[in-house]
Amino acid sequence: MAIESINPATGKLLRSFDPLSEQAIRDKLALAAQAFAEYARVPLEHRALCMRKLASILEHETDDLAAVITLEMGKPLHAARQEVLKCATACRYYADNTARILMPEPIPTENHSYVRWDPLGVILAVMPWNFPFWQVFRFLAPALMAGNVGLLKHASNVPQCALMIESLVRRAGFPRGAFQALLVEARQVESVLSDPRIAAVTLTGSEPAGRAIAAQAGWLIKKSVLELGGSDPFIVMPSADLDLAVETAVRARLVNSGQSCIAAKRFIVADSIYDAFESRFVAGMEAMRIGDPMKDSTDIGPLATPQIVADLEAQVKIAVAAGARLLTGGERMMGDGNYFEPTVLAGVPRKSAVYREELFGPVAMLFRVRSLEEAIEIANDTPFGLAASAWTRDPAEQQRFVSELQCGAVFLNAMVASDPRLPFGGIKHSGYGRELSAAGMREFLNAKTVVISSANPARES
Ligand code: NAP
């Protein structure tokens, strides 16, 4: 099947690509393996020079790159610009910090002992469309700085982004084969991953894709990192700054038109402030400007594919049939693009399947709670465990949230966001392993223990 780039705002086909043939895939694998053999010996300073050049290309060409993102997956242009600039930040972070992260770690023993960090080889990255640059850069910046090389299987609705990133990496001076886009279908990933030249795999995407990759990687005994879905709680307690909490709640739900793994999806609000929160939150959702993502005034663009609209529409219907109250929205919007109204559901019953699902679009679920314990209980009552945002000025409550919320990150009085300096990742069905920071880089490094006996030290020459 052709890999098609379709404008989600109009439904028009932009470009179409044939998936790579088996022979073309083999050629790219051979090139990647050859590139690794040479690239791992390239001095760190030279890699950092290329990484800084990559950052400056992103900064100089932000508008053009952002336009491709918006045309392919529909996020508003201003958000696409921010995404491109965030990629530059990650490049600079790893250019500046890799020497520190790769520094051998001396370990006191009776011998001379230390741990050194060696690259693993060719890493396969299977990536989603929702942040078509950022998701890729948070893999490629640490991987290339550490001396690994990358092969990218991008989501099939963003092939132009995939090819553009490949070309940016080359223009920055990285050697041929250090980073290649593989325009392949999901069903072709299995044979790529089985190739002995692939050392490890990282996947960001849905649970079913994660299961498929993890099962295969496990069988092949290859290292894997999974960044999967989330249904992050946003908890508001009575002592919170309500104005700021409501304003942030709307932004946190609608970031990337609602299509973000770390978007807040379940709003858990204390009884005494619930009614005020609900009315203001609904008003905030209704005030969003929906429309042409190319216009600077647009807050919410089209969703990336017609399937996402269909899935959301079905989930809202199922929740309402189970007894949830629909406070606003709930319908697809008429016209050519994949538009869906910002939607708020209250009191989705636990018996509804939707209670446990991720809502990957502009749909929020509100819950009223009568105690801190109930807030924590509902927050943790999900198969996912990516992140959480909790709003309270009470230090004792803050401590309870930090220690009892089951997830990879807790943000207090702030919206959850990724940052190259901080580890990012989840627990439970949100996946395993970390991206970003030193932790993310080390996922694809061999922590090699070196012991030099003090009984027989090397002869001095
Ligand atoms: P998806 O359908 O799982 O696709 C993600 C990638 O996996 C795509 O490249 C896709 O290729 C590929 N893929 C799908 N099934 C596969 C299989 N059986 N074997 C190998 N590859 C397979 O996910 P999506 O709809 O693009 O993205 C949305 C999901 O990603 C949400 O659940 C979201 O929460 C999650 N996400 C997580 C994070 C995080 O950091 N935790 C960040 C962003 C998104 P095709 O496009 O060709 O199908």
Side-chain angles (χ1 to χ4, degrees), residues 47-69:
R47 291 182 215 155
L49 212 64
C50 298
M51 199 50 80
R52 289 198 182 92
K53 172 91 186 290
L54 185 52
S56 84
I57 300 175
L58 291 164
E59 285 157 354
H60 282 99
E61 299 178 14
T62 308
D63 287 353
D64 292 346
L65 300 169
V68 177
I69 294 178

Side-chain angles (χ1 to χ4, degrees), residues 3 125-131 135 138 153-158 184-190 203-213 216 226-230 259-262 265 308 358 360 384 386 424-426 430-431 435:
I3 294 175
V126 183
M127 289 290 146
W129 46 264
N130 60 340
F131 291 90
Q135 294 295 347
R138 65 197 216 175
K153 184 274 180 268
H154 215 329
S156 40
N157 55 328
V158 288
V184 295
E185 295 174 85
R187 62 175 183 81
Q188 294 172 284
V189 170
E190 190 176 346
L203 173 129
T204 300
S206 61
E207 245 182 290
R211 281 180 204 284
I213 292 285
Q216 202 198 343
L226 298 182
E227 295 289 356
L228 308 180
Q259 306 160 113
S260 167
C261 53
I262 48 166
K265 291 167 188 145
I308 300 169
E358 181 180 32
F360 211 61
F384 300 106
L386 198 50
F424 182 98
S430 292
E435 290 187 292

